Amino acid sequence: MAICDPDITKPNYAQNKLKAQNELLVAISEAQALFISGHAPDRVYAQMLQILVRSTGSEYGFLDEVIRNPDGKKVERILAISDISWDAESKRLYEGLKSGQFEIMTLDNLAGAAVLEQRAVIANDASNDPRAKGLPKGHPAIQRYMGMPLYYGGEIIGVVGVANRPDDYTEEIAAFIQPLIQAASAMIQAGRVVQREREMLAALKASEEKYRRLAETSNEGIWAVDAHFRTTYVNPRMVDMLGRRPSEMLGRSVDEFLFPDDLGDHRDGVAARHQRQGEKSYEQRFQRGDGSPLWALVSATPLYDEKGEYAGSFSMLNDITARKRMEDKLRQNETRFRQMFINAPMPYQSLDEQGNFLDVNQAFLDALGYSRNEIIGRNFGDILQPEWVDHFKENFPRFKAVGEILGVEFEMVKKDGSTILVFFNGKIQRDEENHFQRTHCIFQDITENRRIQATLKDRERYLSAILETIQEGFWALDENGRFLDVNAAYCGLSGYRREELLKLRINDLDAIETPTGSNASVQGVSNVLNPATDAGTAAFWNLRFQWSGSIMKDSSSAWGVTSRNASRPRRSARNFMPSWPKLRRWNPSAAWPAGWLTISIICSWLSSVMRKWPKAKFLWKIRCTRI
C-alpha cells in the first residue's frame, strides 16, 4: 500500500493529510491483524517497518527492541531492517540481522541516540552530526536521519529509525507517525508477553515431565486426594500395590479402600492431620482388590489453598506387608527383630550426560549427610567406594543407551565416611529429538537386609557344626522314607558313609531280623510316615545294629529316636538269631529314659534342612533310649 506523504507546501494540504492519516491507520490495522492472527513476529515487524518507511518518504529504516543484557546494560535487538546490501558479504550480514538474533551492544551513535536521549532525534545533516560514528565501507551514504524511541508504561522498549527522505525530517512528520509508533510499541510489548508465556509453558512442561517421570519410576505408591478425600491421582506402583485399575480408584474416597474395622482410627488420624496436629507418617492397612490386606507406610503432605484452607493431600506409600507378616511370624516364635522403617519419599538424584549431579532431593541429602552445595556439580563416582567406581563407569553408558535401570546396586560413601549398599531404579529423560537431557533415579538402602542375610548364614553354619559334634544320631526323611540328610553320629551308628545313606531308605537299615517282625515294624513306620495320618506312633528294634528307636507324629509335629547300647559290642545278625525267642518287642514305657533332648537351635537347623528339601515332611526332635 502506498501512503501519501502530507507536505504543507503542496496544494490541498489538509485533504492530503487526512487521506494519508487514513491510509496509515488502514496499514496499521492490517499489520495488527497479522499479529493477532498468529503470524510469525518477523513478518509482522517487517510490515510495520515497511509502513514506517513509506509513510515518511524514506529510503530505508530499522525497528529494534531495547533489552537489558545479563549485566543490566541496555542493548538493541534488531526486529526488522531494510535491505541495503551492496555486495555478497553485506547480503550475508543483512540475512543475519533480520533473523532477530543480532544485538547491537553500543548505543553511543546516531542510531542509539533516541534511546540515550529519550526523545526523537532529527539529523538533516547526518554526516556532520557529532553523534554519527561513521559507516561501514560500501554502506550507502546517510544524508538525513530521524529516530524515535518506543515507550510502554514509561519505559523505553524499542526504537525506530528512518533515513534519506528527499526533504528534511520535521517535528510534524514525527507527529504524523505517532499512531504507528504507538502500534509498534504495543506489538513489541505483546510479543514480550507471548514470549514469556511460551518460556513459562516450556518450563512448566519440563517440570511436569521431570516429576511425572519421577512418579512413574518411583518404587513407592503415590496417592493424591482433594479436599473431600476423593482420589485425583495414583501412580502405576500404587495401582499395582492395591491390585486394581486406575479407573477403579479415580474419584473414589480413600475410605472405600479400607477395612471396616480401621475406619474409626483412620478418620481420627485424618481429623488430627487436617488440624495440623497429627503425624505426617503413619502405618495404614488397606484392602486390595482380592480382599487381602496391604500394609503401607504412609507419608502424607497436606495441601492448603491461598486462604490457608485444606485443599487435599499428597501421599507416598511404601508397601510393608511383607514386614508385617514377618513381625507376626516372629511374635509367634517369640523372637523379636528390630523394626525397620523406610523414610518416604525415596531419595532422588539427577545426573547429566557425564554423570555429574544436576539435582538431588532432601531425602538424598538426609540419607548421605551432605549439603546441596557439596553434591551439585560433583561426579557420582566421587561418592562411591573406590572398588565400585569402575562398576559405575561400565554401567552408566549402558543406562544411557537402554534408557532404564532396575535394581542396580552401588556402595555409596556417606559424609561421615561410612557406607551404605543401595539399589537404583531410574530412567533417562530425552528431548523431542531423542537427545539425552538428564537422568531421573531413586534408590533404596538395602544395607540392613544384606547384614541380616549374612547373620542367618552364620547361624546356620553354627547350628550345623553343633549337630556334627553331638553323639545322638539325627536324620531327615522324605515322604517315601528316603534319607535327605544325616549327621556324623548317625553314620557312626549305622556304619555307612553319608553318601551311601543318601541313596537308601530307612527301611533298608532299620528292619527286624525275622521276616514277620520286619514286616510288622516296617508297616508301623509306614503308617506314621503316611501324610494322610494325623497322629500315630511306631517302634522298631534293630538286632543287627544293636539300636532301638521310635517315631511319633501328631497333627502338628513329629518325633524320632535312634540310639545304640554302647555297652554291647556290635555283632552280626547271625550271632543274634539263636537268642531271638528270648527277646521281646520293645516297649517305650519300659525303656530306660534318657530324657527329652529339646534344643531349640537344633530345631532351627532342622527347619533349614526342610527348606533345602521341600518334600521333607517332618521335623525331628530326639528322645534317646537304652535297651
Side-chain angles (χ1 to χ4, degrees):
M1 170 182 290
I3 300 176
C4 298
D5 176 15
D7 189 340
I8 194 171
T9 62
K10 295 180 180 180
N12 301 321
Y13 164 74
Q15 182 178 356
N16 290 337
K17 180 179 179 180
L18 179 60
K19 181 179 179 181
Q21 288 177 338
N22 290 335
E23 291 175 349
L24 178 62
L25 294 175
V26 170
I28 293 173
S29 298
E30 291 177 353
Q32 290 175 329
L34 286 177
F35 183 84
I36 295 172
S37 61
H39 283 75
D42 55 346
R43 177 180 174 185
V44 177
Y45 294 138
Q47 183 160 336
M48 291 292 289
L49 176 60
Q50 187 178 20
I51 296 170
L52 175 66
V53 170
R54 291 182 179 178
S55 63
T56 59
S58 304
E59 290 184 2
Y60 46 82
F62 66 86
L63 171 60
D64 292 352
E65 180 182 10
V66 176
I67 60 176
R68 293 185 181 274
N69 63 12
D71 297 331
K73 181 181 178 181
K74 287 184 178 181
V75 297
E76 293 182 19
R77 181 170 62 190
I78 296 177
L79 301 179
I81 187 170
S82 300
D83 185 2
I84 56 172
S85 56
W86 56 91
D87 55 22
E89 183 177 354
S90 61
K91 185 66 174 179
R92 287 192 298 270
L93 177 61
Y94 166 73
E95 295 296 332
L97 293 176
K98 76 172 186 177
S99 66
Q101 302 302 318
F102 190 86
E103 295 179 357
I104 301 174
M105 305 304 295
T106 178
L107 303 182
D108 187 18
N109 50 47
L110 196 56
V115 176
L116 297 179
E117 298 178 15
Q118 301 182 20
R119 62 181 181 83
V121 173
I122 297 176
N124 289 315
D125 187 9
S127 58
N128 295 319
D129 192 288
R131 295 165 291 190
K133 303 300 181 183
L135 298 172
K137 184 179 180 180
H139 190 287
I142 297 180
Q143 287 86 26
R144 298 176 181 85
Y145 171 80
M146 182 175 68
M148 299 182 67
L150 306 180
Y151 281 89
Y152 189 89
E155 177 188 2
I156 295 179
I157 63 171
V159 61
V160 296
V162 289
N164 290 357
R165 170 184 166 84
D167 301 323
D168 288 347
Y169 292 102
T170 64
E171 294 293 341
E172 186 178 11
I173 294 176
F176 173 74
I177 62 172
Q178 274 303 312
L180 180 61
I181 297 300
Q182 295 172 358
S185 300
M187 287 186 183
I188 291 176
Q189 178 62 22
R192 287 182 172 183
V193 173
V194 171
Q195 181 63 27
R196 279 197 296 266
E197 290 178 350
R198 288 176 180 172
E199 292 173 354
M200 291 175 59
L201 181 60
L204 179 60
K205 288 183 177 179
S207 177
E208 289 177 348
E209 178 67 10
K210 173 183 176 180
Y211 290 105
R212 183 191 69 81
R213 288 179 178 270
L214 180 60
E216 296 297 322
T217 59
S218 175
N219 198 38
E220 290 184 316
I222 299 178
W223 195 337
V225 299
D226 61 16
H228 302 287
F229 305 103
R230 291 188 296 261
T231 303
T232 58
Y233 174 79
V234 285
N235 72 338
R237 174 58 178 159
M238 189 70 254
V239 171
D240 181 66
M241 286 167 61
L242 284 174
R244 300 176 183 269
R245 296 188 300 272
S247 58
E248 295 180 79
M249 299 187 64
L250 295 177
R252 295 177 61 184
S253 171
V254 175
D255 289 354
E256 298 183 49
F257 304 97
L258 299 177
F259 287 91
D261 295 343
D262 299 335
L263 287 176
D265 291 341
H266 173 70
R267 289 169 180 169
D268 291 343
V270 168
R273 288 186 291 275
H274 193 142
Q275 300 299 323
R276 309 188 186 189
Q277 298 175 354
E279 297 292 335
K280 291 185 178 180
S281 293
Y282 58 95
E283 294 180 1
Q284 182 65 54
R285 186 175 65 152
F286 297 91
Q287 188 173 25
R288 288 191 172 103
D290 60 4
S292 62
L294 164 70
W295 277 99
L297 177 62
V298 183
S299 294
T301 301
L303 305 175
Y304 300 93
D305 60 20
E306 61 277 3
K307 298 180 180 179
E309 297 179 355
Y310 181 77
S313 68
F314 179 86
S315 303
M316 301 193 75
L317 293 85
N318 187 40
D319 187 349
I320 58 171
T321 306
R323 193 194 76 193
K324 283 291 186 179
R325 290 174 179 170
M326 181 181 295
E327 290 174 356
D328 291 341
K329 183 177 180 180
L330 293 176
R331 282 192 294 268
Q332 293 172 2
N333 296 331
E334 297 181 353
T335 304
R336 297 184 179 275
F337 280 84
R338 182 171 62 89
Q339 192 178 18
M340 303 172 64
F341 293 96
I342 301 175
N343 294 324
M346 299 286 283
Y348 162 79
Q349 69 179 45
S350 179
L351 305 179
D352 64 15
E353 197 165 7
Q354 287 72 43
N356 300 319
F357 284 100
L358 294 175
D359 195 11
V360 295
N361 68 351
Q362 188 60 43
F364 177 101
L365 301 175
D366 293 342
L368 296 174
Y370 295 100
S371 67
R372 181 174 297 275
N373 292 336
E374 292 171 323
I375 287 295
I376 301 303
R378 292 181 63 183
N379 191 269
F380 180 68
D382 294 344
I383 61 171
L384 295 178
Q385 277 285 73
E387 55 268 27
W388 286 84
V389 175
D390 289 340
H391 178 62
F392 168 65
K393 292 180 179 179
E394 178 182 350
N395 282 276
F396 192 58
R398 296 176 183 173
F399 178 25
K400 293 187 289 185
V402 176
E404 182 178 18
I405 56 171
L406 294 172
V408 175
E409 296 183 1
F410 290 102
E411 188 170 358
M412 303 180 72
V413 180
K414 301 171 68 173
K415 184 177 180 178
D416 61 9
S418 60
T419 62
I420 57 173
L421 184 64
V422 302
F423 77 83
F424 276 86
N425 293 332
K427 286 190 175 182
I428 298 293
Q429 177 182 339
R430 302 182 184 278
D431 59 17
E432 295 79 2
E433 299 179 356
N434 203 36
H435 294 151
F436 177 96
Q437 288 189 319
R438 59 168 60 202
T439 68
H440 296 285
C441 296
I442 55 177
F443 71 76
Q444 183 173 348
D445 186 352
I446 60 172
T447 307
E448 182 67 12
N449 290 343
R450 290 299 173 85
R451 186 193 67 78
I452 293 175
Q453 292 175 7
T455 301
L456 293 177
K457 289 182 180 179
D458 291 342
R459 178 63 60 85
E460 182 175 342
R461 288 193 294 268
Y462 170 70
L463 295 176
S464 297
I466 291 177
L467 289 178
E468 289 301 319
T469 58
I470 62 176
Q471 296 181 357
E472 301 300 329
F474 291 90
W475 38 271
L477 307 176
D478 66 11
E479 60 187 357
N480 297 315
R482 187 173 299 278
F483 286 100
L484 293 175
D485 202 5
V486 295
N487 68 344
Y490 189 82
C491 293
L493 287 171
S494 67
Y496 287 87
R497 296 190 305 274
R498 182 175 184 276
E499 56 269 21
E500 293 176 326
L501 288 171
L502 296 183
K503 298 178 181 178
L504 302 176
R505 296 184 303 167
I506 194 169
N507 292 347
D508 296 332
L509 276 69
D510 292 327
I512 299 177
E513 297 302 323
T514 64
T516 303
S518 176
N519 291 337
S521 179
V522 170
Q523 185 60 43
V525 173
S526 299
N527 289 339
V528 176
L529 291 177
N530 187 348
T533 304
D534 292 332
T537 181
F540 55 89
W541 191 348
N542 188 297
L543 296 177
R544 180 161 66 93
F545 294 115
Q546 282 294 290
W547 61 39
S548 67
S550 67
I551 59 173
M552 292 168 283
K553 186 185 74 168
D554 57 24
S555 60
S556 61
S557 59
W559 294 264
V561 55
T562 299
S563 65
R564 175 169 169 245
N565 188 345
S567 66
R568 297 183 181 181
R570 179 174 176 180
R571 294 180 289 176
S572 66
R574 187 179 296 106
N575 294 334
F576 279 88
M577 288 301 297
S579 62
W580 170 255
K582 301 178 181 180
L583 297 176
R584 61 184 175 82
R585 182 69 177 260
W586 176 71
N587 183 352
S589 63
W592 175 80
W596 285 102
L597 177 60
T598 307
I599 306 175
S600 62
I601 57 176
I602 293 176
C603 296
S604 299
W605 174 82
L606 292 173
S607 296
S608 69
V609 171
M610 295 304 103
R611 289 194 298 271
K612 290 173 62 178
W613 295 285
K615 290 186 176 181
K617 298 294 185 179
F618 307 101
L619 175 64
W620 303 100
K621 292 182 180 179
I622 308 306
R623 179 184 180 188
C624 302
T625 63
R626 183 177 180 180
I627 57 175

